[in-house]
């Protein structure tokens, strides 16, 4: 609009008001006290007939506007990609946490089975210690998955502005 405005007619209105007072001497007559009020008003319409630099400025402004619009659209698309990526990362972290919890339950069952077999005499103490080590590893993995989920949810919250109540994944 500013570049286009330079091509349009310009209407200018000016007004001034003045007052002079003082003593005026007119020849043989004595000094006379005179006061003069003046007012001046002007209305001027100006239109450029040939203004190649203004037309070039208009073309440049139009190009800049188109460029800014493209940058805006690109930023919108990048934001969409960032939100989707953060959401999917959080969802994958949630699924990893669920998986690690299920694995932890399975390893607990293996430890219980190894202890029963050792008590009966079918397994060795090494089997029990190995099952205990797997249980410790699965606890650490479960803790790591929970931490990763918290980080991914925080990243999603930073982008979106609020923490999601529930992440919807794939249907069965």
């Amino acid at each position: 609009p500013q570049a286009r405005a330079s091509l349009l007619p310009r209407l200018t209105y000016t007004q001034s008001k003045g007052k002079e007072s003082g003593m005026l001497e007119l020849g043989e007559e004595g000094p006379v006290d005179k006061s003069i009020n003046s007012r001046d008003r002007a209305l001027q319409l100006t239109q450029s007939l040939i203004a190649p630099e203004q037309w070039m400025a208009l073309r440049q402004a139009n190009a800049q506007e188109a460029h800014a619009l493209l940058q805006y659209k690109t930023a919108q698309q990048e934001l969409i990609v960032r939100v989707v990526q953060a959401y999917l990362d959080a969802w994958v972290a949630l699924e990893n946490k669920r998986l690690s919890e299920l694995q932890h339950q399975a390893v607990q069952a293996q430890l219980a089975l190894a202890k029963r077999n050792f008590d009966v005499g079918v397994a060795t103490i090494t089997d029990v210690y190995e099952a205990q080590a797997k249980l410790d590893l699965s606890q650490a993995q479960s803790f790591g998955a929970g931490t990763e989920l918290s980080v991914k949810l925080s990243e999603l919250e930073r982008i979106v502005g609020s923490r999601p109540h529930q992440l919807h994944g794939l249907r069965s």
Side-chain angles (χ1 to χ4, degrees):
Q2 290 176 344
R4 189 174 43 250
S6 66
L7 294 169
L8 298 175
R10 276 176 283 209
L11 187 62
T12 308
Y13 175 75
T14 57
Q15 178 177 341
S16 63
K17 182 178 178 181
K19 182 176 182 177
E20 290 183 32
S21 60
M23 299 301 283
L24 180 63
E25 289 189 34
L26 297 173
E28 297 175 2
E29 297 179 20
V32 178
D33 188 20
K34 282 287 187 178
S35 174
I36 300 173
N37 292 327
S38 65
R39 290 186 181 148
D40 186 25
R41 293 181 186 149
L43 185 63
Q44 181 180 15
L45 178 66
T46 307
Q47 171 67 52
S48 298
L49 296 177
I50 300 174
E53 68 279 350
Q54 292 170 345
W55 283 105
M56 290 302 291
L58 178 62
R59 285 190 196 117
Q60 184 179 9
N62 287 337
Q64 287 174 343
E65 180 184 17
H67 181 69
L69 185 61
L70 286 174
Q71 284 179 325
Y72 176 72
K73 296 273 186 196
T74 301
Q76 274 184 326
Q77 292 297 318
E78 288 174 356
L79 178 62
I80 290 169
V81 168
R82 283 179 40 218
V83 168
V84 168
Q85 185 65 50
Y87 186 87
L88 291 176
D89 287 347
W91 180 70
V92 167
L94 177 65
E95 292 301 315
N96 285 340
K97 184 174 187 272
R98 287 181 189 162
L99 178 64
S100 69
E101 288 171 354
L102 291 174
Q103 286 176 340
H104 182 68
Q105 292 172 3
V107 172
Q108 281 178 330
Q110 287 177 348
L111 177 61
L113 181 63
K115 285 183 179 180
R116 275 194 310 248
N117 286 341
F118 177 72
D119 290 341
V120 174
V122 178
T124 63
I125 192 69
T126 306
D127 295 333
V128 174
Y129 288 152
E130 185 178 331
Q132 182 65 47
K134 286 181 182 179
L135 180 67
D136 293 342
L137 178 62
S138 72
Q139 280 179 328
Q141 288 173 340
S142 181
F143 180 74
T147 302
E148 181 183 0
L149 175 61
S150 177
V151 167
K152 298 299 182 181
L153 286 174
S154 295
E155 178 66 19
L156 182 60
E157 180 181 6
R158 184 186 66 80
I159 294 171
V160 177
S162 65
R163 197 171 196 99
H165 299 295
Q166 183 178 2
L167 296 175
H168 300 282
L170 301 174
R171 293 187 207 160
S172 302

